Amino acid sequence: MEKLNLNPNLYSADDFYSELLAIHESRSKEESDTINARLILILANHIGDHDVLKQALQLASETTS
Amino acid sequence: MSSQRIYEQPLYPYQRNRDQDRKSPNRHPVVIVGAGPVGLTAAIDLALQGIHCVVVDDNDSVSWGSRAICFAKRSLEIMERLGCGERLLQKGVTWNLGKVLFDQRLIYQFNLLPEAHHKYPAFINIQQYWVECYLVERCQELSEWIELRGRNQVQRLEQFNDHVLLRLKTPDGEYTLEADWVIACDGANSTVRDQLKQDFVGRIFEDNFLIADVVMDAEFPTERRFWFNPPFNRGQSALLHKQPDNVWRIDLQLGWEIDKEQEKQPERVIPRLQAMLGDEINFELEWVSIYTFRCCRMEKFRHGRILFAGDSAHQVSPFGARGANSGMQDVDNLCWKLKLVLDQQAPESLLDSYDNERIQAAEENIQHSSRSTDFITPKSEISRIFRDAVLNLAEHQPFARPLVNSGRLSQPCSYLNSPINTDDVDDDLPSGVCPGSPLRDAPTGDGWLCEQAGGSFQLLCFDQADKEIHSETRKVEHLSLNTKKDSSGELAQRYLGKQKEGYYLIRPDQHIAARWTKYDPAMIHQALQRASGQTASVQWRN
């Protein structure tokens, strides 16, 4: 089973983070929700591996960690 | 339409029967409760195997209104075996193309049968009343075996060790009869199920749908159209589907907080439909109903000598056409087993494999239909956001299209874990027809495989090397198939793959029980024993 990579893997983390915020800039809550949903679907398809996605879903839903 | 419609005529009017005048109750091998598509299919299947049955129904005509309209390839193959397939195909509307629209945009379309070389198409549309009508006529042809008793309503039912006692109400009063076995095909509100005090649990979906069949001369093409959030039904969904005789099925989602009685009135319905179809279209209402639905099933489909099939055993949302289709597959699975048990060629425990296999099928259907419903009618803000994101992406991004779910259309269940399968000894034969799978149709050179297979246990011998093998293992009919006669090459492709010869033991319901690349009478005998429930050490795997 492919393991979800939880080690740092972003080449330039700060750039990505600011780009992530930039696509939400001056958007309404509704627009932002839509963008986030699209982003999740696009990334999930890119990952493809069902085992990896299940681990990601599990981790994301553990809201306390 | 001025003439009397087929569902307004009594097709099997009440007639006094001999059992009503008897002092002690008459015993029948099988009594079927309910003369809908499932009960009638069961009666024909049993009759063709030489079993007498009595079908009782509280009505005397076919169902009112179109109801189920999509009949899947697998159902048509069952009907072929029972002698009604071609008639349904001729009358029905064949469609393969499905279109999905979001607001006013076409975002996706799919073709249901990309795979050619099957006798029957993926689906036909035909009103349930025509299906029932043809089945009633077939029952009447088989009247030596089938007694159809209209306006015989089950009042009470009691189960004993070796029979079931039924109390029936007729226009002439009540009478009692006995049955070795009862098949309860009496629908979602099953009286038999109530009599047994059995639960029917599952999930209720808080939504209402307006279902309307209209008669119109419209130039719409023969395809299934499904709308999410169309301008004529904002925030809801809609479906348009063609049936024979210029009848069109329209389904409009209405939401939860509505007045059902009011919404059913023509003065409410007609403007809704006009908005959908356009002002220039003239139409006439044939049937209107409002429905809500549940996805649920009984915990067990076999209760001693009473076997539940169709909606009485399980209910799904209509998305995916899994109601009538799965009911027909239930009795397809059940009848040959009942025949073996009645003939004392199999232990009664073989009937537990009906429970096992068809519960697996019901679970599959419930899962698919619940998921479709969750997509079509999002019940939270976030589920609507995801749903709309999928639909918007699907228009231009192929990756999102498999996520669009306007109903995953009925596919037959493969009983992969069934205890009566014999596992493959190696993996040399194609995986699409592994033990448990339904037969895959293919051309045989002089017809179709689905025309020749089924009705009894058979050994399909593909390109057998030794022509004399027929003399052995006579307990099972041998059907010799030469793949070279099929110019399409599909028969070899589907059943042999890279192998030179292949042997498939198929059950009377055309499901594959076992298969080999070499002819071995001992193995065939063993698999046959297992498939008919005679292996003592059968471990039930759920």
Side-chain angles (χ1 to χ4, degrees), chain B residues 33 40 53 67 138 152 241 255 364 383 412 418 459 466 469 488:
Chain B
V33 183
L40 294 169
C53 53
R67 299 154 70 103
R138 187 79 179 107
N152 274 236
H241 227 171
E364 256 180 48
S383 63
S418 172
L459 188 75
D466 179 0
I469 61 175
S488 74

Side-chain angles (χ1 to χ4, degrees), chain A:
Chain A
M1 188 176 79
E2 192 75 28
K3 216 165 172 300
L4 178 68
N5 185 358
L6 294 172
N7 295 314
N9 192 37
L10 291 165
Y11 177 68
S12 45
D14 288 350
D15 285 349
F16 168 71
Y17 195 77
S18 82
E19 285 151 11
L20 179 64
L21 292 189
I23 63 167
H24 288 285
E25 215 156 285
S26 66
R27 301 281 190 174
S28 67
K29 170 81 169 71
E30 201 185 340
E31 287 169 329
S32 271
D33 283 346
T34 299
I35 290 168
N36 281 340
R38 288 167 64 93
L39 187 62
I40 290 167
L41 294 167
I42 291 164
L43 294 176
N45 182 68
H46 183 85
I47 294 163
D49 190 304
H50 191 201
D51 289 326
V52 171
L53 291 171
K54 281 204 290 200
Q55 294 167 61
L57 289 171
Q58 175 64 33
L59 181 64
S61 60
E62 288 166 6
T63 50
T64 48
S65 57

